[in-house]
Amino acid sequence: HAKVNGRNQASFYDRSMSRDLVRRREIEAELRVAVQRDELSIFFQPIVDLATGRIKAFEALVRWFHPEKGELRPDEFIPVAEETGAIITLGNWITAQAAKAAATWPEDITVAVNLSPLQIKAPGAALGILNALREAKLDPRRLELEITETVLLDHSQQTEDFIAELSAAGVRFALDDFGTGYSSLGYLNKYPFGKIKVDRSFVSGPNAGKKSDAIIRAVSGMATTLDMAIVAEGLETVEQVEAVKAAGCTLGQGYYFSRAVPDYLAAMLIAQEREKFEPQRATG
Ligand code: C2E
Ligand code: MG
Ligand code: MG
Ligand code: MG
């Protein structure tokens, strides 16, 4: 019996494993043509000044509306694109789309774009971003690149050059998902980060609470001293907003304010807030 069971189990694992593999292969193949088929689009989630409630920036988040599979989350297909190298072409496309949208917004609103490690190490990576900015006629100071610590771990020359070149051109950098990796303070000293984004896990979920509030407080104290802004990610309730404000965060992002929305809705959010805060400019 044991033998039969063992074999059944093995074939069960084989089958579920091959199902995952098949889906992965499909995603891999279909991602190559998804841009041409117009299945990908960039959504924008507002980043809000917690003191005034005004929109300071939007984070560009890629979405894939697959004709059969439905909406695919970036967490599923970005890793595949990283493995196959497709992220380089895809990433260039994302930056170009985000820059184009941002060029239509008021000048005091910036756009944040997530970068994968591979994108940064590709030859001509910095140039590609500067070209996208030029084509969109977007001031480099209105682009912020979000990178995670993983990007910095290998201390490569390419990464250093990439950051130095773009930062000299005026592009800003934000350290994303802070608190999930090594959270090495050395990076904050070495690279020109203007922003630290505290990971959502500190705001909600099983690990949020008194302890994570204290961590946010410590990080925001340090960020203020270093002249960096601190953003709380994943704010879903008014209580969370109050808590991170009390802990010293100056900016916030999350479903409490808005989900990521298509470009025409982002433009509407901007118009609405201009109406509210500067009615004379919005109408005149
Ligand atoms: P991230 O850069 O940390 O982006 C924040 C994620 O949190 C987004 O998920 C966003 O939709 C989600 N989020 C925002 N507010 C809330 C909230 O209040 N509650 C909850 N539960 N979630 C919230 P998304 O769009 O699924 O993206 C996941 C990750 O995929 C991103 O994490 C980023 O690492 C990556 N990603 C997304 N777009 C791109 C892209 O264009 N290029 C690259 N390289 N990576 C991307
Ligand atoms: Mg991000
Ligand atoms: Mg993040
Ligand atoms: Mg993340």
Side-chain angles (χ1 to χ4, degrees):
H1 262 349
K3 216 172 183 180
V4 172
N5 269 341
R7 209 183 299 143
N8 280 343
Q9 220 163 23
S11 65
F12 169 77
Y13 284 127
D14 283 352
R15 257 184 280 129
S16 67
M17 203 159 83
S18 65
R19 247 197 323 266
D20 285 353
L21 258 174
V22 166
R23 186 174 167 95
R24 221 183 150 76
R25 289 270 153 73
E26 284 172 359
I27 287 176
E28 198 179 308
E30 290 162 354
L31 191 54
R32 273 188 216 121
V33 289
V35 172
Q36 285 99 297
R37 288 187 185 157
D38 225 14
E39 292 170 9
L40 293 177
S41 88
I42 309 300
F43 275 35
F44 298 93
Q45 186 178 34
I47 297 172
V48 171
D49 183 330
L50 292 174
T52 62
R54 299 205 62 167
I55 297 172
K56 303 296 280 186
F58 284 92
E59 179 173 5
L61 296 160
V62 66
R63 297 286 178 264
W64 184 359
F65 299 96
H66 192 284
E68 287 105 36
K69 293 186 174 72
E71 186 183 335
L72 295 169
R73 301 295 294 199
D75 285 333
E76 184 170 21
F77 64 87
I78 292 285
V80 178
E82 281 170 348
E83 246 169 65
T84 62
I87 189 66
I88 291 168
T89 318
L90 179 61
N92 286 337
W93 181 81
I94 292 168
T95 308
Q97 297 300 305
K100 260 189 242 166
T104 69
W105 304 337
E107 277 176 14
D108 54 343
I109 298 182
T110 59
V111 67
V113 175
N114 294 284
L115 288 189
S116 294
L118 210 66
Q119 268 178 277
I120 295 173
K121 281 162 191 127
L127 204 64
I129 287 170
L130 293 174
N131 281 339
L133 288 169
R134 188 152 8 87
E135 262 166 50
K137 298 193 171 63
L138 187 75
D139 183 339
R141 283 169 297 191
R142 293 181 59 200
L143 176 68
E144 183 165 67
L145 298 175
E146 294 194 0
I147 60 181
T148 60
E149 276 178 315
T150 1
V151 168
L152 309 171
L153 277 180
D154 66 353
H155 300 276
S156 80
Q157 190 62 45
Q158 283 125 299
T159 306
E160 270 181 42
D161 294 347
F162 175 88
I163 295 176
E165 191 175 340
L166 289 175
S167 138
V171 173
R172 326 258 173 136
F173 285 88
L175 188 56
D176 203 357
D177 300 344
F178 191 77
T180 56
Y182 295 84
S183 306
S184 159
L185 304 182
Y187 297 133
L188 298 178
N189 196 25
K190 183 165 179 196
Y191 297 104
F193 291 111
K195 247 180 221 169
I196 302 174
K197 300 188 80 177
V198 176
D199 193 68
R200 179 154 58 88
S201 57
F202 286 88
V203 169
S204 58
N207 296 321
K210 267 208 182 112
K211 218 162 129 185
S212 61
D213 279 356
I215 295 172
I216 295 181
R217 193 164 291 123
V219 174
S220 65
M222 180 190 65
T224 311
T225 309
L226 297 173
D227 219 14
M228 287 185 254
I230 177 156
V231 191
E233 293 188 308
L235 298 173
E236 295 184 356
T237 67
V238 66
E239 289 80 14
Q240 289 165 355
V241 173
E242 293 311 323
V244 299
K245 249 165 90 171
C249 290
T250 48
L251 298 167
Q253 181 180 359
Y255 299 165
Y256 175 76
F257 299 108
S258 169
R259 291 186 180 248
V261 296
D263 55 1
Y264 64 92
L265 283 180
M268 242 171 74
L269 288 176
I270 295 170
Q272 266 172 14
E273 82 130 45
R274 300 281 133 155
E275 188 79 41
K276 188 166 143 203
F277 288 100
E278 325 164 13
Q280 70 290 12
R281 194 158 99 187
T283 51

